[in-house]
Amino acid sequence: MNKAKSFYKLMVTLLCGVFMTLSFTGCIFDFVTDDSGSEDLGEDVPNGDYMITLNSETSVTLSGVQGKAILYANFNTSNRVINYPRYYTGASNYAIATGSITTFTPSASYVGAARTAIEPDVETVNDDTILKHFVPKEKFHVDTSSIPVSRTAIDQTSYNSFATTFNVGNEKEFYVDNDVDMETYVLKNCVLAAKGTNANGTTVCLVWVDEDLYTQNGSNYGKNINQTMAQNLASKFGQYYEKERNVFGDEFESLFYTNGSWAGSLSDVNVCDTGPLVNIIVYDIGNDYTDSNDGNHTNSQTEECGVEGYFYSKDYFVRNPDSSRIDRYSNEGKYFYIDAAFCNYNGTAQNSAGETVYAYNGISGNGVSGSVISTLFHEFQHMINFRQKANADDDPAWYNEMLSMLAEDMMREQLGLNESVRKERLPAFNKYYRYSGIDEMLEGRDAVISYATAYTFGAWLAREYGGTELVKEISQNSYVGMESIKNAIYVKTGYNFSTLQLFKMYLAACVFRPTFATNAAHRLPSHYKDGGNLIESFALTKINLFGSNYGYSVGGTTYYGPILYGPAVQLPVRPHGFVLHSIGTATTDTVTLNFSPRTNSGDQIVIFVQDAFSNTQSDTLAE
């Protein structure tokens, strides 16, 4: 059977209920002022009872909607910002009450003839968390065809062989960043503080600590790290090293020259002195730490950097002192970099000035903070991804980060991290989603919004289409970006979705509250589904995007679910992004909704109908 036709039958089943009929009125003016960003995202989702798309139409009549909440989205199918999207102009033969939904009108907004200024495409947002990851400024590519087939993998005996050449207390110099822009590097002497072994007792990692921060048997505080904490970091990575590989695949076991050609196997002592072992370097990332009066690292002192840890593919290249690229600072091998102060991070403790402090707060016993543990396995996915997608033309940053956050998501319960990535990303998504498109990676501090958007999209995909088995297929197939996602879904489900269909179903999952979406009569897209298909017992459990765990505050009031704007508010829409509006609750059976003419072919209006709700109350389904 044609899978696209099968999909349409499925969507008609999902979207068609019993209470509504609709009709369209053609638009009076249908002109396009800027098609420079237009693109073909494939077939669209068919209209149904709960989700209706307006393209060139300016009016739609809904029947059987009394008591129902009516919302709409500006959805941008183009690859450019739409500064003047369509907006709601009113309704006829209707009665709509504001109801219990609170809407917002940003001070920089503009409507119709009252336009006075264009809101910036992206505003710098002070997110509720300073925890960030580093996106490397330079990308490196390798020629995998030059790797001898017989030397792409290394057996466990090689790990142990290299491990015996290093003893706790040994010292070694490494190149590390030395400023908040992470553009200058220095050699830093570090002490081998711990080794990590896997379930078979094979040493798989070495933890090195900056000698100036290593307290040996002293107390952990600020940026000071002792041997017990270092061992906890090493042991945790060793315990889950193979498990993460079983989902995402293997990392490279070779070094390469600057031109990308193969330079030798890591099992060769003449190639790399630490061989196939993973090296975790703990120091002050960005060299930005400053002691406060109480001796702790504070939020205000990390605003310029705030990076917990990172992987940089430069270390997979032979150090070339004459290179103009960052590989002149290669440490030649498998390397992660972890911020020492974040190892002591306590997201709730505050000093007398009300600043978040870095007093020791391990997740168990004398362990490293849960935030750093989560970051470590996030970064390991990046190392693996460097190999898995080595032959792809271009690996989009949002896609790579999505996979890393899914690693955090699926491993969180086994790692003892509770909400972890969910609590970090979902409230930010709910509050700031409109600043980043679905498949967009913003730069600088605004990147934190794209992290939230990429995670929320990936979390829905994994729960809807195959759990960890889907994530494995996405990670290990030969594609990147949306092509990788679509191919993985096809392999796992047989559904041949277009990019637009996936975007629109995801949009629905961000609008329909779980109590309504999961009703047996509706069965609509939702994050509130178990991913199933476990690998290594990693679970992708239900997410209630509208639940109490992911609320956010505006003006002293807590709201749940993605923020809703007023019905006539007109705001720029990011490429493949959306802005959600509430029109209100219908008090009559039939209403006709009217919208301004479309002036950009990428500008869609998507109307949603669901049961009445209040966005100041969390959805009643369990978290």
Side-chain angles (χ1 to χ4, degrees), residues 14 54 81 168 180 259 264 269 284 325 400 421 431 464 494 567 614:
L14 294 181
L54 303 187
V81 175
V168 171
V180 294
N259 65 5
V269 294
D284 178 16
R325 303 191 68 185
N400 196 343
V421 67
K431 192 173 183 179
E464 192 79 61
S614 169

Side-chain angles (χ1 to χ4, degrees), residues 392-593:
D393 290 335
D394 188 26
D395 184 8
W398 71 268
Y399 166 82
N400 196 343
E401 296 299 340
M402 178 193 77
L403 284 170
S404 280
M405 287 182 285
L406 287 175
E408 296 181 76
D409 189 358
M410 68 175 59
M411 299 176 72
R412 65 185 184 85
E413 289 187 346
Q414 288 197 36
L415 292 172
L417 302 178
N418 194 17
E419 281 292 302
S420 185
V421 67
R422 296 181 177 193
K423 191 65 174 177
E424 183 180 339
R425 303 301 180 188
L426 295 178
F429 171 80
N430 280 339
K431 192 173 183 179
Y432 303 124
Y433 68 86
R434 75 178 179 88
Y435 293 96
S436 178
I438 297 170
D439 56 352
E440 180 177 27
M441 179 54 70
L442 302 175
E443 297 181 353
R445 291 186 62 81
D446 293 315
V448 71
I449 311 169
S450 293
Y451 275 94
T453 299
Y455 168 66
T456 309
F457 181 49
W460 170 73
L461 288 167
R463 284 157 176 80
E464 192 79 61
Y465 298 114
T468 51
E469 286 284 357
L470 179 75
V471 177
K472 179 177 182 178
E473 184 63 32
I474 292 173
S475 178
Q476 298 191 40
N477 66 23
S478 59
Y479 306 92
V480 295
M482 288 304 299
E483 290 307 308
S484 172
I485 290 168
K486 289 187 292 184
N487 275 276
I489 291 174
Y490 179 78
V491 168
K492 291 301 173 185
T493 70
Y495 291 122
N496 191 15
F497 294 141
S498 71
T499 296
L500 184 56
Q501 287 165 347
L502 286 174
F503 282 170
K504 294 289 280 294
M505 289 188 288
Y506 164 65
L507 175 57
C510 294
V511 173
F512 293 126
R513 292 168 76 91
T515 301
F516 180 78
T518 60
N519 185 299
H522 305 148
R523 295 180 292 125
L524 297 162
S526 174
H527 289 81
Y528 198 73
K529 297 177 180 178
D530 284 314
N533 297 326
L534 305 183
I535 300 177
E536 295 290 355
S537 299
F538 293 153
L540 288 161
T541 56
K542 297 175 182 177
I543 289 177
N544 188 345
L545 187 62
F546 302 80
S548 58
N549 285 337
Y550 314 123
Y552 53 94
S553 178
V554 178
T557 301
T558 300
Y559 297 91
Y560 303 94
I563 196 168
L564 301 173
Y565 294 93
V569 170
Q570 188 182 41
L571 294 167
V573 191
R574 298 295 302 173
H576 302 163
F578 56 89
V579 179
L580 302 178
H581 309 258
S582 172
I583 293 176
T585 303
T587 58
T588 55
D589 185 71
T590 301
V591 299
T592 297
L593 309 176

